[in-house]
Amino acid sequence: MSTPAATHRREETIAAIRESGRAQVLVIGGGINGIATFRDLALQGVDVVLVERGDFASGASAASSHMIHGGIRYLENGEFRLVHESVQERNGLLATAPHYVKPLKTTIPIYSFFSGLLNAPMKFLFNRSGKPSERGALIIKAGLVMYDLFANSGRATPWHAFRGRSRSLRELPRLNPGVKYTATYYDASMHDPERLALDVLGDGVRAGGRALNYVEAVGRDGRSIVLRDHVTGEEFTVSPDVVVNASGPWTDLTNEALGDATTYMGGTKGSHIVLDNPELVKATGGREIFFEHEDGRIVLIYPIKGMAMVGTTDIPADPREPARCTDEEVSYFLDLIAHVFPDVPVSRDEIVYKFSGIRPLPKSDATVAGQISRDYRVEATELGGLPVLSLVGGKWTTFRALGETLSTRVLERLGAPRRVSTRGLAIGGGRDYPRTLGDRAVWLRRHLGGEDDRTRLLLERYGTRAADVWAHLTAGEDETLLGGELSTRELDWMVREEHVVHLADVVLRRTSLAFTGRADVASLTVIADALSPILGWDEDTRAQELADTIGLLREEHGVDLPDYATR
């Protein structure tokens, strides 16, 4: 069978890398921080190659709480630099990525006035903690005042507000009647983190960088890095001037594969569940409910895409083992929902999706996981004369600043100048994004021929890059799929422009089908049938893709699907 045109780009990229055997910089790890570093370096004109052993943004970056936030609780740990950077980056992303990052009204229910009054100063002043407890109104008020002051420069969100019990229950009548106060402030939501990562990646590729998913760094041969293509099983080498290890929680394992035993990392597991419960979604009043539970864990109830997402846990984890949301964690989430909204019935049967990931935290001897620093640092080593910069830590909110920091370290090694800063630089489909309903209607008529469910979905999914997608859709015969959720030429676009290799890439990361509980066997079959001619799958490959995706959804995400192999 001849190779479909849509697969040429990946094969051509591998062939070019294999032929030259060179790159100025090799970035290992295609999570958001590796992608941000890749984008920054490409914009400086650096010859940079990014490799990711799975799909882009499929590891820790896919397991986020879908928030861009300053981290108010980091104030208690004295991490003022991180909080300041985070709120400034949050404000920046509201401007540069408005298609994916939007203001998020957040309310903290408070059940006491003085609780936590001893623990917080002990943590802040002496790095000591007693028994974890919920924070009372006084501590939360002090934290929010400081938080707002950090956000004041370039402010993009309103100041916080405190409410007493009566007004709190008028605004949120299903809230636990034992509430004494609520505190409401604004952070930002990120409804499509994987798509935001793809947009950052696309900027880097269009600037001249080369990016490959399903390619793993498996060893080192002198100053060359051995890469394995998991699609074909073939291995090849590239000789960079600098290696950036941005493998997240797997940073030590990558260094081990390259011949360097490091012990930088000590991540914790965070899990979430997604419930199809309209009553719970309504109870939130369209805002995130965010609080510290009585055991000291930060938890949230978050209305998103018509569902209610609940998280998160903070449990020591081994990156060599797969991260899974356990039955114990699910019970914990259901208990906390009952604590906040005691008269809202919730059932395990309403869970449509579960996900879990390991935070890329530094190794720490902290007795409480929440005390481990969320800040980042760069560790420099040399392997056989090859400089290796390992990223330790990092979180979604600060990806742009982190990428610029790490890129600057690389440029110093290369003796190359910085040509441009990414601060204030629009990301992908955030460029010229229409902000109001009226402006969106005008934009849709001008660029997509009109406003309907399909064109609104394209603008939501791609931002203003939807104009390029639309040009591709209308350039040939296009058949809509799944009631307009996708189309045959949109899948072709995803393969050509968004690095789709497997069925799961579409279902889990290019769309919200899995997250919102719509990835049933019938839908998966329709998508697999449409992808087959684009990717050149024969019947055996198509069947294997279906079986693999169904197995992944069942085992990793708790989706109730039959075993395809036994059907």
Side-chain angles (χ1 to χ4, degrees), residues 172-232:
L172 297 168
R174 306 296 291 274
L175 206 58
N176 187 326
V179 70
K180 288 185 169 56
Y181 310 90
T182 57
T184 296
Y185 67 103
Y186 280 81
D187 261 325
S189 68
M190 176 179 58
H191 280 202
D192 294 282
E194 296 91 343
R195 292 213 59 87
L196 176 53
L198 285 170
D199 244 15
V200 178
L201 181 76
D203 283 351
V205 170
R206 287 186 289 276
R210 294 174 288 177
L212 290 167
N213 51 354
Y214 298 102
V215 171
E216 182 176 5
V218 296
R220 180 174 58 89
D221 182 6
R223 289 180 56 91
S224 295
I225 303 300
V226 181
L227 304 176
R228 179 178 298 148
D229 180 3
H230 286 301
V231 176
T232 64

Side-chain angles (χ1 to χ4, degrees), residues 256-271:
E256 181 181 316
L258 300 184
D260 188 16
T262 59
T263 55
Y264 301 139
M265 308 305 297
T268 63
K269 183 181 74 165
S271 296

